Amino acid sequence: MEAKFCMTCGAAMESRDVDGTVRRACTVCSFVHWGNYSIGVGALVMKDEKILLVRRAQEPGKGRWTNPGGYIEQHELIQETIVREVMEECGVRAEVTRLVAVRDLPRSIHNVYIAFELDYISGEPTPDGVEVDAAGFFSLQEMETMPVADFTRWLIDVALHSTQAGLVEDEDPIIQMDGYGLYRVPKVSAQ
């Protein structure tokens, strides 16, 4: 779908070259529609060598087992999003330990998906009954007979077979930047 009217002033939009790319731009003010994007997050939560999975109750992927996840809210840090999504979808409390994978999927709405490993804290998996109709912790052996989504299988492999620490939250950045979610490779300790 093409932007026809300016989100700032309501004037008509036109196609125009902006920095070498044809984009929709306002004919009156300086607004430029940079494109359509979405950012999703996913959780990999382990308990007793089993992975938390939820069964999708809606399309896309209805009936498939996936890791819990969802889309970020406009003013929400991604690490807050994934903790909220795990709690909302299946009633499990968990905390982020590291960022383990990123999927980039350019299409009509360019989707970036950020996967986190989380430590299980508490709660029994209970589906929300809206987005999810089943939830539980499953072993790799149990998953062999389940319709687990391909991307979820890939994420599980990444989390289980990574030899590096992944990106971790920078809890003590060299410069404090309030409101930022900062992730980095772990610092090398000074000798």
Side-chain angles (χ1 to χ4, degrees):
M1 177 180 284
E2 185 175 272
K4 297 193 182 292
F5 299 98
C6 178
M7 291 175 57
T8 302
C9 73
M13 301 281 278
E14 67 182 1
S15 295
R16 180 182 331 150
D17 184 298
V18 178
D19 298 330
T21 301
V22 175
R23 301 188 188 279
R24 299 294 288 169
C26 183
T27 57
V28 175
C29 74
S30 62
F31 178 79
V32 175
H33 179 71
W34 295 101
N36 295 314
Y37 305 91
S38 67
I39 302 171
V41 293
L44 296 161
V45 181
M46 288 190 71
K47 177 186 173 195
D48 302 324
E49 298 184 23
K50 294 183 175 191
I51 305 268
L52 178 63
L53 295 178
V54 296
R55 190 172 60 199
R56 304 243 342 122
Q58 303 173 353
E59 295 296 347
K62 184 176 180 177
R64 306 283 311 254
W65 290 89
T66 66
N67 53 295
Y71 292 100
I72 64 167
E73 296 294 339
Q74 186 68 39
H75 296 284
E76 184 177 51
L77 292 169
I78 56 177
Q79 66 264 29
E80 294 169 359
T81 300
I82 196 54
V83 168
R84 174 183 54 77
E85 285 288 348
V86 171
M87 179 58 79
E88 284 177 3
E89 287 187 1
C90 57
V92 168
R93 205 168 133 240
E95 68 180 0
V96 172
T97 56
R98 66 182 180 146
L99 190 154
V100 294
V102 174
R103 181 196 68 201
D104 183 25
L105 185 58
R107 55 185 182 181
S108 62
I109 298 175
H110 192 136
N111 178 255
V112 175
Y113 186 93
I114 304 163
F116 292 91
E117 186 175 277
L118 287 84
D119 279 342
Y120 168 82
I121 296 175
S122 64
E124 285 303 313
T126 305
D128 70 1
V130 178
E131 292 181 68
V132 172
D133 63 11
F137 285 96
F138 300 94
S139 69
L140 291 175
Q141 184 176 6
E142 290 170 313
M143 285 183 233
E144 288 176 9
T145 60
M146 298 166 59
V148 177
D150 292 342
F151 181 60
T152 296
R153 287 187 189 277
W154 179 79
L155 285 174
I156 292 167
D157 180 72
V158 168
L160 293 179
H161 298 104
S162 58
T163 59
Q164 303 294 321
L167 297 179
V168 296
E169 186 174 5
D170 191 346
E171 295 177 355
D172 188 28
I174 62 166
I175 299 171
Q176 290 299 319
M177 294 176 271
D178 292 339
Y180 281 60
L182 302 172
Y183 283 82
R184 62 172 298 141
V185 294
K187 289 183 181 181
V188 176
S189 52
Q191 304 270 10

